[in-house]
Amino acid sequence: MTQRASRQAWVNLLRRLHFYIGLFVGPFIFIAALSGTLYVATPQLEAWLFRDALTTSVKGSPHPLADQVAVARQAAGAPLPVQAVRPASQTGETTRVMFSDPQLGASETRSLFIDPVTLEVKGDMTVYGTSGILPLRLWIDNLHRSLWLGDIGRNYSELAASWMWIAALGGIALWFLTRPPRQRKPTRHNAFVSQRRWHVALGWLLLVGLLLFSATGLTWSRWAGDNVNQLRAAMDWMTPQVNASLRGEPADNDPHAGHHSSHHGMAMAEPGLDNGLFDAVLSAARQAGIQAARVEIRPAKTTDRAWTVNEIDRRWPTQVDAAAVNPHTLTVIDRTRFSEFPLMAKLTRWGVDFHMGILFGLANQLALMAFGTALCVLILLGYRMWWRRRPAPGQVNPALTLVNAWLGLSSVGRGVTFVTALLLGLALPVMGVSLALFLAADLARWHRARSQAPVGA
């Protein structure tokens, strides 16, 4: 095979693959981009909508956490276990007392908002995750993650994350292989060429973001996420967790620590929960170096475990330290410091926080809003280009298929792409299944087009 023929074969394969990703996966990427943009654009709106629960105008000395927790436990009505407490970080804020509720979904808690000065219950609502998002963003987040369809719907976002990086890199490679030679005089361009230039320019502009969001999105995915976490564990990229065992047990390197909760074993510690320990444990953690204004105190789930105090101010990339405090002796038995995290653990933490739009606050929000809007435009331009160049009915060329383009490669090229596709399909199962569906539809289209072709064509 000549060099020119080999180059054209790769162009044909990349073009068909890029076309299929855009046509079939593009809508899912569009929904993820649009819903993600809405998610990062609404924190201020959410803060305004729920300002009565989040803030207080009463001035004065705050009551101890013990009093605030006691009020919240009484107001909760049902004997729900206290999962965590987030003390007011400054004057004018309320304290969150978060309860585990078996009727809520994973990572969701029932939160009561207590005025630290008057002990008035200011709000009672469901919040989600370490970021503590309220009902508005929780509704948008469920759209972004699962189309409001639960675990089944999570396959959509995993599909988008699995293919997005391939679409980005494949599009760049296709541009390199097909870009025309430089000409001295400007040529006349039609609408299609103009749209293609915008599509390429946006692809280059968004390349790094596409790779980042694809990678961070896969860490939260249902199927590929387990494989990603196994890789992180093997490469020692996991986020260090404090050892909360009072028996000298090793700490659990939980890849989703801070993003979910468990009700198992909580009843052992809850009946004897001393509200006064919240103040004492927080004081011990402060003395051990937990200095961030925003912290979360988690009681022990069982009597042989320590309480933990975690810094949760994700606007600053270094305030994620944690301490484990023995509730019997009020001594700190373990500490994790962000400054001592492995480099990849730090990058993972920053990447996840950037993905959520909380790193550096408003600047992160504006960047993601611009990114999401541009990605939606890029996808719409791709569909517009396809619509302009779509073949007329009855003029479908049976050679224009993914299978036929793959067969046009050299034997080495076919072997490399086959092995690569197999490995990626195993690592990213949703991608593997969707690729098999692509090929099935491709073969059906090929055979149908050949059967409808004139004899001798």
Side-chain angles (χ1 to χ4, degrees), residues 247-270:
R247 297 180 177 178
E249 297 174 356
D252 294 328
N253 277 332
D254 184 353
H256 301 294
H259 292 281
H260 64 77
S261 62
S262 172
H263 308 297
H264 180 69
M266 192 67 181
M268 294 179 62
E270 185 62 25

Side-chain angles (χ1 to χ4, degrees), residues 99-238:
F99 297 91
S100 297
D101 190 337
Q103 297 181 355
L104 299 178
S107 301
E108 296 180 356
T109 58
R110 178 186 174 187
S111 294
L112 270 68
F113 297 78
I114 308 299
D115 187 323
V117 177
T118 66
L119 297 181
E120 177 187 359
V121 178
K122 301 281 289 182
D124 183 351
M125 65 186 78
T126 300
V127 303
Y128 177 83
T130 303
S131 55
I133 61 175
L134 302 178
L136 173 62
R137 277 198 293 166
L138 178 56
W139 184 81
I140 299 174
D141 183 63
N142 284 329
L143 167 64
H144 182 67
R145 288 187 295 118
S146 63
L147 298 177
W148 304 307
L149 298 175
D151 286 341
I152 294 178
R154 289 179 62 187
N155 293 320
Y156 115 83
S157 55
E158 184 167 349
L159 178 69
S162 297
W163 282 107
M164 192 158 56
W165 65 278
I166 295 181
L169 295 178
I172 296 300
L174 190 60
W175 176 83
F176 269 115
L177 293 173
T178 60
R179 71 183 191 274
R182 294 182 177 273
Q183 298 180 359
R184 294 183 178 179
K185 295 182 179 180
T187 58
R188 183 179 180 181
H189 298 292
N190 55 30
F192 176 86
V193 173
S194 177
Q195 291 170 5
R196 183 177 184 272
R197 284 192 167 184
W198 275 105
H199 186 80
V200 170
L202 287 174
W204 273 110
L205 183 64
L206 303 179
L207 178 60
V208 174
L210 290 170
L211 299 179
L212 173 63
F213 285 110
S214 183
T216 52
L218 287 173
T219 64
W220 286 319
S221 63
R222 184 181 183 187
W223 306 107
D226 289 339
N227 294 330
V228 172
N229 290 327
Q230 291 178 16
L231 174 64
R232 290 176 59 198
M235 302 297 291
D236 194 25
W237 293 348
M238 301 295 287

Side-chain angles (χ1 to χ4, degrees), residues 358-375:
I358 56 180
L359 186 65
F360 301 125
L362 182 60
N364 193 172
Q365 289 179 253
L366 295 175
L368 294 193
M369 289 167 61
F371 175 88
T373 303
L375 180 53

Side-chain angles (χ1 to χ4, degrees), residues 3-146:
Q3 182 177 359
R4 182 176 181 179
S6 177
R7 180 189 182 95
Q8 186 58 45
W10 283 104
V11 167
N12 292 339
L13 179 66
L14 289 172
R15 182 177 285 131
R16 297 312 301 171
L17 182 61
H18 195 71
F19 167 72
Y20 277 14
I21 296 172
L23 186 63
F24 298 117
V25 185
F28 300 106
I29 299 177
F30 184 90
I31 294 172
L34 182 60
S35 59
T37 302
L38 292 175
Y39 178 89
V40 300
T42 53
Q44 288 78 11
L45 175 60
E46 188 174 58
W48 178 79
L49 287 174
F50 302 108
R51 63 190 181 280
D52 290 340
L54 299 174
T55 62
T56 175
S57 59
V58 180
K59 306 296 182 181
S61 300
H63 285 266
L65 287 177
D67 296 341
Q68 300 180 52
V69 173
V71 169
R73 295 179 71 183
Q74 183 177 7
L80 299 176
V82 178
Q83 176 173 306
V85 172
R86 298 186 176 188
S89 61
Q90 60 184 6
T91 302
E93 286 189 0
T94 55
T95 293
R96 294 191 191 189
V97 182
M98 305 158 70
F99 297 91
S100 297
D101 190 337
Q103 297 181 355
L104 299 178
S107 301
E108 296 180 356
T109 58
R110 178 186 174 187
S111 294
L112 270 68
F113 297 78
I114 308 299
D115 187 323
V117 177
T118 66
L119 297 181
E120 177 187 359
V121 178
K122 301 281 289 182
D124 183 351
M125 65 186 78
T126 300
V127 303
Y128 177 83
T130 303
S131 55
I133 61 175
L134 302 178
L136 173 62
R137 277 198 293 166
L138 178 56
W139 184 81
I140 299 174
D141 183 63
N142 284 329
L143 167 64
H144 182 67
R145 288 187 295 118
S146 63

Side-chain angles (χ1 to χ4, degrees), residues 280-291 309 323 325 332 335:
V281 167
L282 178 58
S283 177
R286 292 295 192 196
Q287 293 176 19
I290 301 297
Q291 299 299 328
V309 180
V325 180
V332 174
R335 274 287 314 271

